[in-house]
Amino acid sequence: MLQSFDARADGAAGPARLAALRATLDEAGLAGFMVPRADAHMGENVAPRDERLAWLTGFTGSAGFCIAGAREAALFVDGRYTLQAAQQTAAEAFTVVFSAETPPEKWLESHAQAGERWAYDPWLHPRAEIDRLTRAAEAAGAVLVPHANLVDAIWEDQPAPPAVPATPHDVALAGRTSADKRRALGEDLAAAKLHAAAITLPDSIAWLLNIRGGDAARMPAVHAFALLHRDGRVALFADPAKFGPEVRAHLGNEIMIEPPEAFEAALDALRGARVAVDKDSAPAAVSDRLVATGAEVVWRRDPCILPKACKTPEELDGSRAAHRRDGAAMANFLHWLDGALEGVRTGARLTEIEVVEALEGFRAETGALADISFETICGAGPNGAIVHYRVTRESDRAVTPDSLLLIDSGGQYRDGTTDITRTVFTGGTAPEGAAIAYTAVLRGMIELAAARWPEGLEGRHLDALARAPLWAEGLDYDHGTGHGVGAYLGVHEGPASLSRRSAEPIRPGMILSDEPGCYRAGAWGIRIENLVTVTPPAIPGDGERAMLAFETLTLAPIDRALILPDRLGPDARAWLDAYHARVLAEIGPLVGADVRAWLTDACAPL
C-alpha cells in the first residue's frame, strides 16, 4: 500500500530501448511512434503494464508524451517536470521539450518530412489529440496512421494487466444511489436525442456505479469501459473475476457485466444510434469503431465529469472528517519532525526516505487509511525545486540545517481524499531569498483562500489572486495554482482547475487545491497547499450580489519560521492567526498531550 523507493524506470536503458523501437519502425516503414503516458481508460494513473513512457525513456512523472522518431526522439513535459525529466533520461537519446512552449503537434509539424508515415496506438490517445497531431503531420506533407503498439512488441517482461477486486461504495458516503445518478444522466441523454454514452474514465465509472477498486496505484477505481443507455441501464466491460457476489448484489440487475473483449462488439451493435463520446478522454479507437459501424458520434463531455466534481453534502461531510483525521496524523508527524530536525542540528542523520516512512506511518496509524493518494513528495534542499520529485534509494538526500524541506502528501480514506503540502525550515541560517519567497507564497495561498467572487468566474480568473504577491516580488511558478480533488477517488480531478488555461467555471461543492509555489533550481523549493471547497452563493455583509467563497478543509499548522510579518500584511496575518486557532481547536482534542502542547506553540498567533 505505501510507496516503494525503488526506481520505477531505468533511464540508462533508454538508448538501447529506443534503438530497438527504431528497428521496429524501420521494419514497419514508419518514421516515428507516439508514446504517451496513458492507458486505454485515459485516467491519470496507470498500472505497471501501461508504464510505456517510463519503460522507454526512464521518466516517471505523472504526465508526459514522447514522439520517438527515427531521427530524433522528443520527450514533452510541463513545468512541473522539466528538471526531473532532464535528470531521469539520457540526453543523448531524448530531447526534453517544455510542452507549454512547444506542444507535440508543433514539434511534429517541424520535424516530419513529406511522404513519411508516423504511427500511434488508437487506444492510447483521445480523438482531440489525434486530430491535432493529424493536422500537424498533414501540414508537413506526412500522414498519421493507427498501428498496433510498437512498445508492447519489444517490452519482453511487460507486467500482466491488474486484477484488483471491486468493492461497493456506501451510499451514506456517496449521498446518491447509482440508480439515481444513472436515471438523471439517462434523462439528459434522452433530452439530447442520444441513445447512449461511451464512458472510459475509471473514476467516472466508479462514481456512476458507486464502486471502488485498485487497478491503478493511488486511484481507487476499476479498469473498465461502460455504455450508459438513455433508460439508465449500463453495460460494464471489465474482468468479471473482479466482481464478487457482494459487489454484484450492490450493482443490481440494471448493470450487465461483460468481459472487456466484448466492448468492441457492443459498439458495433450501436449501428444507427446517436452515441455521445468525449473527444478529450475517450480513446480514438472508440469513435473510430462507432463511425465504422454506422453509428452517429456526438462529441459531448463525459456525462459524469461535472456532477462528480460538485460534491454532495454527504461527500463534503466525509471530506471534512477525512481532513480532521489526516490533520491529526499531520500534527503527530510535524511534532516528530520538529524533534528529528533538532537532532539534525546537533549532528544526527535524517534522510528523505526516513521522513516519508514516518509520515506514511502516522497516516497508517489512523486505522482508516486505504492508501496514500499519490507518491509522497519529500524534497530536501535542491530536491525541493523538482516540483514533483519522488525520492528513490538512489536519490535519497540527507536533510541538513540551513535549508528547506518540502513535503507534499495525501491519504485515501473511504470518506475522502486529502492532499497537503508544507515547507519546513530546518533551522540555522535561512537560504538566500527563501524568506521573501516563502512569505509571498503564503500570502498568495491566503489571498486565494479568502477570496469572494461572483458566480460564473472560471479558474483562470482566480489563478492570478495567488500569483499577485509573487509577481510583486518578481517571482512566479510554472504550474497551475490548483486542481480538482475527488471524493475517495482521484487526487487530480477534472473538469475545474485554478490555472491560467482553465475556462471551467468554479462551482459550489467542488474541492480544489490552493498551492502556489516558488522554486530556485539547485537550492530550494517552496510550496504551501491546502484543500478548499466552494461554498454555496451568499450575499456577504451589506452587499447586493451573491458571491461564492472557499471553505478551507485542510487542518495542519503552517511553519512560521520564515514568515516576514510586515511583508505578509495585516489581513493575511489575521487570516493565518484565525486558521491556526481553528487547527488547534479541531485537531488538539485528537492528539496526545505532548503533541497537543507542541501544537499549541505551533498555532500561537503570529
Side-chain angles (χ1 to χ4, degrees):
M1 178 179 66
L2 302 186
Q3 77 185 55
S4 165
F5 300 104
D6 297 326
R8 289 185 298 166
D10 182 5
R17 291 170 177 173
L18 179 60
L21 180 59
R22 283 173 169 161
T24 66
L25 291 175
D26 185 59
E27 292 172 4
L30 298 169
F33 186 69
M34 312 293 154
V35 185
R37 187 185 187 276
D39 60 20
H41 307 280
M42 296 291 142
E44 179 186 20
N45 302 69
V46 299
R49 177 181 181 81
D50 297 302
E51 290 276 13
R52 298 174 182 87
L53 183 65
W55 181 85
L56 178 66
T57 68
F59 171 64
T60 60
S62 64
F65 190 103
C66 178
I67 300 182
R71 295 178 298 274
E72 183 178 351
L75 172 63
F76 301 86
V77 297
D78 61 37
R80 297 171 296 173
Y81 293 119
T82 49
L83 290 177
Q84 178 179 334
Q87 290 181 1
Q88 290 185 321
T89 58
E92 69 271 23
F94 300 97
T95 301
V96 176
V97 180
F98 183 30
S99 59
E101 295 177 354
T102 307
E105 59 270 20
K106 184 176 179 180
W107 186 95
L108 181 62
E109 183 174 345
S110 64
H111 286 74
Q113 297 179 4
E116 290 181 335
R117 298 168 68 243
W118 294 70
Y120 67 96
D121 180 342
W123 283 100
L124 300 185
H125 303 264
R127 171 47 57 188
E129 183 173 83
I130 292 304
D131 286 349
R132 292 192 298 270
L133 291 166
T134 297
R135 288 191 294 269
E138 291 175 348
V143 294
L144 192 70
V145 296
H147 200 281
N149 197 287
L150 296 178
V151 173
D152 292 355
I154 62 173
W155 189 355
E156 295 181 355
D157 57 348
Q158 187 176 21
V164 179
T167 59
H169 185 59
D170 197 330
V171 69
L173 296 172
R176 295 176 66 186
T177 65
S178 172
D180 177 55
K181 296 174 185 179
R182 290 185 282 107
R183 180 169 53 251
L185 297 187
E187 290 171 356
D188 289 344
L189 294 177
K193 296 181 171 53
L194 295 164
H195 295 89
I199 304 173
T200 65
L201 289 171
D203 56 334
S204 288
I205 295 170
W207 174 85
L208 179 65
L209 302 181
N210 283 349
I211 59 174
R212 296 296 187 265
D215 281 337
R218 320 312 180 201
M219 164 64 86
V222 179
H223 278 175
F225 303 104
L227 289 174
L228 169 65
H229 297 276
R230 61 183 177 183
D231 61 2
R233 292 179 299 108
V234 167
L236 181 66
F237 302 90
D239 183 354
K242 297 177 184 178
F243 298 86
E246 181 186 12
V247 73
R248 285 177 181 268
H250 168 81
L251 290 172
N253 296 329
E254 292 189 329
I255 312 299
M256 179 70 71
I257 301 172
E258 300 185 55
E261 296 78 18
F263 183 47
E264 290 180 283
L267 295 175
D268 292 342
L270 292 172
R271 178 185 299 274
R274 301 183 77 240
V275 184
V277 179
D278 191 326
K279 199 171 190 176
D280 293 309
S281 69
V286 173
S287 53
D288 291 350
R289 188 81 178 212
L290 288 167
V291 169
T293 200
E296 180 185 353
V297 171
V298 179
W299 300 121
R300 207 169 193 238
R301 184 157 70 181
D302 177 329
C304 304
I305 292 282
L306 185 58
K308 173 168 58 67
C310 298
K311 309 298 185 286
T312 65
E314 292 81 0
E315 287 173 325
L316 291 175
D317 284 345
S319 183
R320 294 182 184 104
H323 278 89
R324 285 191 293 270
R325 184 185 309 114
D326 201 65
M330 283 297 300
N332 287 327
F333 163 71
L334 290 170
H335 169 255
W336 170 86
L337 180 62
D338 198 41
L341 291 176
E342 185 175 344
V344 165
R345 292 190 290 272
T346 58
R349 180 172 170 81
L350 177 69
T351 70
E352 293 167 334
I353 285 180
E354 290 172 330
V355 173
V356 173
E357 289 177 333
L359 173 52
E360 294 182 353
F362 284 117
R363 281 200 170 98
E365 287 177 2
T366 66
L369 185 70
D371 196 356
I372 54 176
S373 56
F374 56 97
E375 306 299 311
T376 300
I377 298 165
C378 179
N383 285 346
I386 303 171
V387 179
H388 273 201
Y389 169 73
R390 174 184 175 271
V391 59
T392 67
R393 299 195 188 281
E394 291 73 25
S395 70
D396 189 20
R397 184 181 179 89
V399 180
T400 60
D402 310 322
S403 67
L404 303 183
L405 178 65
L406 186 154
I407 309 153
D408 187 347
S409 67
Q412 289 284 13
Y413 304 95
R414 297 198 178 277
D415 49 3
T417 300
T418 69
D419 182 1
I420 173 176
T421 307
R422 292 294 183 262
T423 302
V424 177
F425 176 43
T426 60
T429 302
E432 182 182 357
I436 290 175
Y438 186 93
T439 304
V441 168
L442 175 59
R443 184 171 178 180
M445 190 275 288
I446 292 172
E447 293 289 349
L448 182 59
R452 294 181 185 275
W453 68 94
E455 288 187 87
L457 262 62
E458 300 160 0
R460 58 188 174 184
H461 299 137
L462 300 181
D463 175 79
L465 297 176
R467 295 181 190 271
L470 286 101
W471 291 344
E473 302 288 358
L475 304 170
D476 202 356
Y477 48 96
D478 292 328
H479 57 76
T481 297
H483 54 83
V485 178
Y488 187 40
L489 279 173
V491 74
H492 295 142
E493 178 180 83
S497 68
L498 300 167
S499 75
R500 294 164 172 164
R501 296 181 295 174
S502 176
E504 184 71 31
I506 304 300
R507 295 176 172 88
M510 289 179 168
I511 296 177
L512 298 153
S513 68
D514 173 4
E515 51 178 314
C518 189
Y519 311 90
R520 183 164 295 178
W524 44 257
I526 297 167
R527 189 163 63 252
I528 303 171
E529 175 189 19
N530 283 346
L531 296 192
V532 295
T533 184
V534 184
T535 60
I539 299 176
D542 297 324
E544 298 178 352
R545 296 188 181 185
M547 297 284 163
L548 300 180
F550 288 125
E551 170 196 343
T552 297
L553 296 171
T554 304
L555 295 168
I558 295 168
D559 189 19
R560 298 172 300 161
L562 294 180
I563 296 174
L564 302 175
D566 290 342
R567 287 180 182 263
L568 190 61
D571 290 344
R573 288 174 62 179
W575 186 97
L576 182 64
D577 286 345
Y579 174 73
H580 275 149
R582 180 184 166 210
V583 169
L584 181 60
E586 295 197 36
I587 303 303
L590 305 180
V591 297
D594 289 348
V595 177
R596 187 160 55 249
W598 174 87
L599 189 63
T600 300
D601 290 339
C603 292
L606 187 61

